């Protein structure tokens, strides 16, 4: 009885809202899938936050801005979407080297920016010098740290290591051999910039003039998004199938999902939250898609703390964690257990590289007993607040408690603004959460910044302050290896040492999930986390 | 009257200056390094960190930072946010969205709240009174995001009466979010009016009015209701400020690019200029609408005169 009364009042409210609606009047404009060029059509795509920085490729290293930047810019090289191997589908005709130190880049003929200006060697050299100059405060500056003349501390307008040979050729000299350099050049900060950028960087950041398969039709409007259309003079092979993209900012993932179900959003890209992951595959059927992704989440050990200096302690902790239980129970399969430090999307990944990551409580107890770890003192587990890490870190704690008899307390009260400086000052008192995403598909992108001295903060993310001369040597050797096979083998050897000494315990890799409307087809993720391969998407007539 | 208004507006100036400094100081007092929060899991070159700190005056003491901010303000410069965008632009883009949402909510709240309050107040103890009582309790106790997503799902996705989210359909886009935002306040308005009306109906002047044979509609409409509205007008005036600044959840659910979201993000990333710029503006709105409420008193109650 009471319920029906309540319902009637709610209905009353809604009815009055409807009356108001009638008074207010308002057009019923339709959206999504408007008619575009023949074989074109427009589709809508969500991003879930404003790009953190102006849309300049050298300053865009986070996922949402990257999705837009990758539509607007094509760097020197591209990657095969299946094998993730390097392909010369970008502006570079070739990148050649004799010694892995000096690279000669030859550009293809006929590439132009969206404003019609030609792409020359200077388009790259000037862009790279601008990005690397710390005075310009570009987030991607450190990607040039391997180039001769890079200065991460002081302003420097040009690096000696970049030399223009002619309009279509330039050379890059590195300070140490690095065979993976060509792989790196597919990343945003290595994109070319037109002269228009240097004339007015602010205006450019709102409405970039790139060289990619899509061009910007509008300025980026914060809180709303940007409209892109196909660049008809695009010189690359991966010409866009669709005529345009309506990039819409939808900050709440549940709202975005409702828009997809309601038919107003064509491509829904996200790491689907666990509560949706159980519904989405059934509800969407063959319009659901997913891909193992490269985001790596792990817990670092404070190696500066005497309690965690014995590798057996770290091995015991790692073996006491039941990773599949966490990825299934807490993430409903939207994460995959990590048994390697190299993610599944990259050549060199091994599904069982880490023997000390296999769940084995008995062995864990034995190792912990041998190490003489004081279990009477509680262990503090750290994670940054407000980022959804509470549940799984607590699960790790419960498993440690259950399997090793360790009491734990959660320290999830700091956000990144405090968390990272604390980690940098060696202030962590127990295992602490860290994450790393792929910038370029090389094992070096994970080993270098996370486990070598070159990666010590703030230059990299080696927050456990791990250092092992043997790892450094193997990584350096791999960097100088003449072939990729040899390099990968050496990286794996370095990885084996890391996975035995365990400065961090790998926990999981991400799985990107998404859905699309009936309006579009051929929607899939690129190897870059939640990035959609925009050029492949077709709009159904 | 106009002197009273001028005096109240002049008084707003010290309030705005004090509040802006207070807010600036609070944002400054937040622990941690905003530049690091900006980069998250990704590293930054040391020189880039230094450059960003300098660009946003983060190395100066708070007073110097504030003076630099006010110095810019006097030249009409509200500063820039961490992505290099002028704060004035952010305000200009987002205030209209939030203002439309808040006004829609205010209208819905006033219309439904007043009708429900009058009905309940006149017929105390009746079926309708109980209905208002129960339904307002119910509305107040549902968290906004639950109501928001429920209505969005049923009235946006299942029965597509309203747009699911966004502002593409003009005023129509604001109806559902406006209703969701208004629910709690509408319940308060109804209850406030009901109590006030019920109380006033017991007053001597009502008895006198009835005794001289005035029709019931006049008794209530002209005498009792007018008196009872004072409390409600105070509440609605103050509530507009709350609706402007407190719509974070509703703006999130319905994906409206308003100030709530912007302030929330700015506080999290410790962007002092954005927080101060927007909140100072909101404080002004708050002061202004309270002033409007005060002026309305005089219209409602002839005994109140402002000199």
């Amino acid at each position: 009885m009471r319920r029906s009364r309540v319902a009637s009042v709610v209905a009353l409210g809604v009815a009055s809202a409807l009356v108001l609606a009638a008074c207010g009047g308002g057009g019923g404009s339709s959206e999504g899938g408007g008619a575009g060029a023949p074989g074109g059509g427009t589709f809508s795509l969500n991003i879930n936050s404003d790009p953190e920085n102006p849309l300049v490729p050298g300053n865009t290293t986070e996922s949402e801005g990257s999705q837009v930047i990758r539509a607007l810019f094509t760097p020197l090289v591209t990657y095969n979407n299946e094998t993730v191997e390097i392909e010369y589908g970008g502006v570079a005709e070739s990148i050649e080297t004799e010694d892995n130190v000096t690279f000669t880049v030859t550009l293809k003929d006929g590439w132009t920016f969206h404003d019609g200006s030609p792409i020359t060697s200077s388009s790259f050299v000037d862009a790279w010098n601008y990005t690397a100059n710390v005075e310009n405060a570009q987030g991607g500056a450190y990607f040039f740290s391997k180039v001769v003349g890079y200065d991460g501390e002081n302003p420097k307008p040009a690096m000696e290591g970049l030399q223009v040979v002619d309009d279509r050729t330039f050379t890059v000299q590195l300070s140490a051999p690095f065979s993976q350099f060509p792989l790196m050049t597919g990343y945003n900060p290595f994109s070319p910039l037109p002269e228009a950028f240097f004339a007015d960087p602010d205006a450019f950041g709102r409405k970039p003039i790139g060289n990619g398969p899509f061009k910007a039709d509008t300025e980026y409007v914060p809180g709303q998004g940007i409209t892109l259309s196909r660049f008809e003079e695009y010189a690359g092979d991966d010409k866009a199938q669709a005529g345009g993209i309506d990039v819409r900012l939808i900050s709440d993932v549940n709202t975005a999902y409702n828009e997809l179900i309601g038919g107003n959003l064509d491509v829904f890209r996200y790491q689907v939250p666990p509560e949706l992951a159980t519904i989405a595959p059934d509800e969407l059927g063959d319009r659901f898609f997913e891909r193992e992704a490269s985001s790596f989440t792990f817990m670092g050990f404070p190696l500066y703390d005497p309690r965690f200096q014995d590798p057996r302690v770290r091995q015991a902790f790692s073996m006491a964690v039941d990773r599949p239980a966490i990825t299934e129970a807490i993430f409903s399969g939207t994460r995959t257990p990590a048994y390697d430090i190299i993610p599944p999307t990259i050549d060199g990944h091994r599904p069982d590289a880490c023997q000390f990551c296999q769940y084995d409580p008995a062995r864990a107890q034995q190792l912990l007993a041998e190490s003489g770890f004081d279990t009477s003192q509680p262990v503090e587990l750290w994670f940054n607040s407000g980022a959804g890490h509470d549940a799984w870190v607590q699960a790790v704690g419960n498993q440690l408690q259950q399997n090793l008899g360790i009491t734990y307390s959660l320290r999830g009260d700091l956000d990144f603004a405090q968390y990272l400086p604390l980690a940098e000052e060696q202030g962590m008192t127990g295992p602490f959460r860290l994450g790393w995403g792929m910038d370029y598909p090389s094992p070096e992108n994970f080993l270098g910044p996370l486990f070598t001295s070159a990666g010590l903060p703030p230059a990299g993310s080696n927050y456990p302050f791990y250092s092992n001369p043997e790892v450094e040597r193997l990584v350096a050797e791999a960097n100088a290896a003449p072939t990729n096979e040899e390099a990968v083998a050496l990286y794996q050897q370095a990885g084996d040492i890391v996975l035995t000494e365990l400065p961090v315990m790998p926990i999981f890799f991400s799985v990107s999930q998404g859905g699309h409307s009936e309006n579009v087809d051929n929607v899939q993720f690129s190897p870059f986390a939640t990035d959609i391969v925009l050029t492949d998407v077709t709009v159904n007539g | 009257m106009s002197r009273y208004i001028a005096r109240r507006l002049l008084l707003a100036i010290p309030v705005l200056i004090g509040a802006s400094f207070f807010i600036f100081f609070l944002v400054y007092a937040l622990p941690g390094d905003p530049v690091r929060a900006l980069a998250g899991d990704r590293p930054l070159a040391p020189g880039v960190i230094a450059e960003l700190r300098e660009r946003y005056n983060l190395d100066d003491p708070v007073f110097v930072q504030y003076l630099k901010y006010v110095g810019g303000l006097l030249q009409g410069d509200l500063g820039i946010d961490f992505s290099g965008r002028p704060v004035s632009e952010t305000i200009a883009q987002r205030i209209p969205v939030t203002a439309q949402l808040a006004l829609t909510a205010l209208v819905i709240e006033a219309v439904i709240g007043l009708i429900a309050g009058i009905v309940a107040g006149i017929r105390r103890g009746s079926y309708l009174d109980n209905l208002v009582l129960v339904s307002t309790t119910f509305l107040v106790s549902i968290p906004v995001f639950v109501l928001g997503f429920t209505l969005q799902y049923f009235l946006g996705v299942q029965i597509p009466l309203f747009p699911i989210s966004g502002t593409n359909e003009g005023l129509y886009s604001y109806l559902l979010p406006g209703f969701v935002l208004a629910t709690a306040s509408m319940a308060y308005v109804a209850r406030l009016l009901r109590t006030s009306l019920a109380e006033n109906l017991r007053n001597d002047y009502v008895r006198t009015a009835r005794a001289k044979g005035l029709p019931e509609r006049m008794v209530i409409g002209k005498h009792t209701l007018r008196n009872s509205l004072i409390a409600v007008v105070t509440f609605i005036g103050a509530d507009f400020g709350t609706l402007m600044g407190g719509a974070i959840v509703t703006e999130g659910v319905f994906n409206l690019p308003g100030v709530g979201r912007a302030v929330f993000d700015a506080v999290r990333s410790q962007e002092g200029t954005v927080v101060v710029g927007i909140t100072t503006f909101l404080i002004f709105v708050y002061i202004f609408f309270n002033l409007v409420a005060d002026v309305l008193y005089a219209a409602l109650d002839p005994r109140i005169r402002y000199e």
Side-chain angles (χ1 to χ4, degrees):
Chain A
M1 186 63 185
R2 179 167 292 184
R3 204 203 260 156
S4 68
R5 286 183 189 178
V6 168
S8 65
V9 167
V10 172
L12 183 84
V14 171
S16 51
L18 275 171
V19 173
L20 281 170
C23 300
S29 68
S30 65
E31 53 173 312
T42 304
F43 65 94
S44 52
L45 165 85
N46 71 314
I47 53 176
N48 54 66
S49 66
D50 282 323
E52 279 171 13
N53 294 311
L55 288 169
V56 175
N59 206 6
T60 303
T61 52
E62 43 69 51
S63 61
E64 306 313 293
S66 284
Q67 177 74 73
V68 180
I69 286 291
R70 288 196 178 109
L72 295 173
F73 291 87
T74 300
L76 284 178
V77 301
T78 53
Y79 309 108
N80 182 294
N81 203 36
E82 305 304 319
T83 61
V84 200
E85 281 165 348
I86 190 168
E87 279 181 348
Y88 286 88
V91 188
E93 191 169 279
S94 66
I95 302 177
E96 281 163 354
T97 182
E98 302 282 312
D99 50 6
N100 283 329
V101 173
T102 307
F103 292 82
T104 306
V105 181
T106 310
L107 304 181
K108 287 175 189 162
D109 208 7
W111 277 69
T112 61
F113 288 104
H114 298 154
D115 63 357
S117 58
I119 299 180
T120 66
S121 307
S122 303
S123 313
F124 285 94
V125 171
D126 293 348
W128 295 7
N129 276 327
Y130 179 90
T131 305
N133 184 356
V134 294
E135 198 175 26
N136 298 321
Q138 300 291 293
Y142 70 97
F143 285 104
F144 297 94
S145 60
K146 293 185 165 76
V147 177
V148 167
Y150 170 83
D151 189 340
E153 310 275 343
N154 305 301
K156 190 166 179 191
M159 296 180 286
E160 292 84 357
L162 300 181
Q163 295 294 337
V164 174
V165 178
D166 59 43
D167 266 3
R168 281 177 51 207
T169 319
F170 66 98
T171 58
V172 185
Q173 201 188 349
L174 304 181
S175 43
F178 186 45
S179 61
Q180 311 287 299
F181 178 74
L183 263 179
M184 261 182 117
T185 62
Y187 194 45
N188 303 343
F190 295 88
S191 303
L193 290 172
E195 276 170 25
F197 168 78
F198 301 98
D200 189 350
D202 280 347
F204 186 93
R206 293 154 185 261
K207 190 179 174 188
I209 300 161
N211 66 328
F214 291 93
K215 60 183 170 45
D217 282 353
T218 59
E219 282 195 4
Y220 183 87
V221 183
Q224 297 183 30
I226 186 169
T227 307
L228 315 177
S229 68
R230 180 167 57 199
F231 178 42
E232 300 296 347
E233 288 84 46
Y234 183 62
D237 302 329
D238 55 333
K239 256 191 185 306
Q241 296 296 315
I245 310 174
D246 180 17
V247 180
R248 290 173 57 194
L249 169 74
I250 305 179
S251 51
D252 193 296
V253 61
N254 292 299
T255 303
Y257 186 75
N258 279 345
E259 287 280 32
L260 172 75
I261 297 299
N264 293 332
L265 179 69
D266 293 322
V267 179
F268 168 74
R269 52 177 280 281
Y270 206 80
Q271 269 160 18
V272 176
E275 64 269 23
L276 274 184
T278 48
I279 320 167
D282 289 338
E283 194 165 18
L284 296 172
D286 60 358
R287 295 189 285 124
F288 174 83
F289 57 99
E290 63 180 344
R291 177 170 189 167
E292 278 190 323
S294 54
S295 301
F296 177 35
T297 300
F298 50 98
M299 294 200 85
F301 290 100
L303 300 181
Y304 39 82
D305 183 337
R307 275 185 102 187
F308 297 98
Q309 275 167 2
D310 189 331
R312 288 173 298 187
V313 172
R314 307 191 299 259
Q315 291 163 354
F317 272 52
S318 179
M319 295 186 90
V321 176
D322 184 354
R323 291 166 179 76
I326 291 176
T327 56
E328 281 312 313
I330 293 173
F331 290 109
S332 310
T334 57
R335 306 287 187 279
T336 155
Y339 302 105
D340 195 356
I341 49 170
I342 300 168
T345 44
I346 290 181
D347 183 19
H349 169 76
R350 293 164 295 169
D352 314 299
C354 177
Q355 53 160 324
F356 294 107
C357 301
Q358 300 298 333
Y359 180 56
D360 188 346
R363 179 101 174 89
Q365 280 161 18
Q366 193 192 342
L367 281 165
L368 198 70
E370 282 172 19
S371 73
F373 187 80
D374 178 8
T375 53
S376 65
Q377 294 292 320
V379 168
E380 295 190 308
L381 301 176
W382 293 79
F383 56 95
N384 53 306
S385 65
H389 299 304
D390 310 59
W392 73 261
V393 176
Q394 187 168 11
V396 168
N398 286 338
Q399 292 177 349
L400 293 177
Q401 190 162 25
Q402 200 179 341
N403 298 327
L404 298 175
I406 296 168
T407 53
Y408 72 93
S409 58
L410 295 179
R411 294 299 305 271
D413 42 353
L414 303 182
D415 61 18
F416 259 139
Q418 293 168 274
Y419 187 81
L420 290 179
L422 185 73
E424 204 171 309
E425 290 156 15
Q426 308 199 338
M428 293 298 176
T429 53
F432 52 103
R433 183 218 83 94
L434 286 172
W436 188 253
M438 178 183 84
D439 305 314
Y440 46 93
S442 164
E444 190 276 340
N445 190 212
F446 286 77
L447 281 160
L450 296 180
F451 303 111
T452 67
S453 52
L456 288 173
S461 286
N462 183 358
Y463 288 106
F465 290 85
Y466 175 69
S467 121
N468 181 329
E470 188 61 12
V471 173
E472 311 260 340
R473 189 186 64 77
L474 285 165
V475 171
E477 211 173 296
N479 288 348
T483 68
N484 197 46
E485 287 72 36
E486 289 166 76
V488 166
L490 286 161
Y491 288 130
Q492 287 179 339
Q493 283 181 39
D496 285 337
I497 299 175
V498 171
L499 289 170
T500 307
E501 298 198 326
L502 288 182
V504 309
M505 48 176 168
I507 307 287
F508 53 77
F509 296 112
S510 60
V511 176
S512 297
Q513 297 185 324
H516 63 84
S517 69
E518 311 274 4
N519 193 29
V520 290
D521 274 314
N522 299 318
V523 188
Q524 54 172 331
F525 285 113
S526 87
F528 290 93
T530 52
D531 222 63
I532 301 286
V533 186
L534 298 172
T535 46
D536 285 359
V537 176
T538 51
V539 179
N540 300 329
Chain B
M1 181 69 119
S2 54
R3 285 191 59 182
Y4 172 78
I5 295 175
R7 203 168 67 225
R8 283 281 300 265
L9 285 176
L10 277 178
L11 269 175
I13 293 172
V15 173
L16 288 175
I17 294 174
S20 68
F21 177 72
F22 188 62
I23 295 162
F24 201 93
F25 185 77
L26 282 181
V27 176
Y28 178 86
L30 285 172
D33 181 353
V35 171
R36 298 310 300 276
L38 200 64
D41 275 331
R42 290 157 283 131
L44 277 183
V48 171
I49 294 178
E51 173 65 28
L52 286 171
R53 295 194 64 85
E54 199 193 314
R55 216 173 263 192
Y56 300 107
N57 304 323
L58 293 172
D59 290 323
D60 295 331
V62 64
F63 290 99
V64 178
Q65 281 192 43
Y66 182 70
L67 287 178
K68 283 184 180 173
Y69 175 74
V70 172
L73 207 59
L74 291 177
Q75 297 162 33
D77 177 10
L78 287 173
I80 49 171
D81 64 16
F82 283 167
S83 69
R85 230 167 234 281
V87 175
S88 52
E89 209 172 277
T90 307
I91 294 180
Q93 247 159 16
R94 291 178 179 258
I95 290 280
V97 173
T98 299
Q100 280 194 70
L101 175 63
L103 277 174
T104 312
L106 206 66
V107 170
I108 295 176
E109 153 189 345
V111 171
I112 300 182
L114 288 180
I115 294 174
I118 293 169
V119 168
I122 296 173
R123 310 202 183 284
R124 281 211 313 145
S126 69
Y127 169 81
L128 276 174
D129 182 23
N130 282 324
L131 182 75
V132 168
L133 209 67
V134 171
S135 60
T136 51
T137 311
F138 179 73
L139 283 181
V140 170
S141 52
I142 317 178
V144 175
F145 72 93
V146 173
L147 186 69
F149 277 122
T150 309
L151 291 185
Q152 181 182 66
Y153 185 71
F154 287 109
L155 300 179
V157 179
Q158 291 294 329
I159 314 162
L161 289 175
F162 295 96
I164 298 166
S165 74
T167 55
N168 285 334
E169 297 186 25
L171 194 59
Y172 194 58
S173 313
Y174 291 95
L175 280 179
L176 199 55
F179 178 78
V180 169
L181 186 61
T183 46
S185 300
M186 142 194 340
Y188 290 126
V189 168
R191 295 190 147 207
L192 213 54
L193 186 60
R194 173 190 177 273
T195 317
S196 181
L197 204 57
E199 212 168 274
N200 281 326
L201 277 172
R202 280 200 295 265
N203 273 342
D204 289 345
Y205 70 86
V206 175
R207 202 167 10 149
T208 312
R210 281 184 178 144
K212 56 179 196 183
L214 270 184
E216 189 67 12
R217 194 193 305 162
M218 291 282 279
V219 175
I220 290 168
K222 192 151 187 198
H223 296 276
T224 328
L225 189 59
R226 227 168 118 167
N227 252 332
S228 310
L229 275 177
I230 290 187
V232 178
V233 165
T234 315
F235 175 79
I236 293 182
D239 199 41
F240 187 73
T242 317
L243 291 177
M244 285 283 292
I248 300 172
V249 177
T250 314
E251 285 178 8
V253 170
F254 293 98
N255 202 41
L256 305 174
V259 286
R261 195 84 206 173
V263 174
F264 179 77
D265 289 342
V267 171
R268 283 204 62 172
S269 56
Q270 301 185 19
E271 290 175 87
T273 51
V274 183
V275 180
V276 176
I278 296 180
T279 43
T280 308
F281 186 86
L282 288 181
I283 291 167
F284 181 76
V285 171
Y286 197 81
I287 291 174
F288 179 78
F289 273 84
N290 271 303
L291 179 60
V292 171
D294 282 350
V295 171
L296 273 178
Y297 289 166
L300 288 169
D301 188 342
R303 286 169 302 181
I304 298 175
R305 284 282 173 271
Y306 298 113
E307 297 305 333

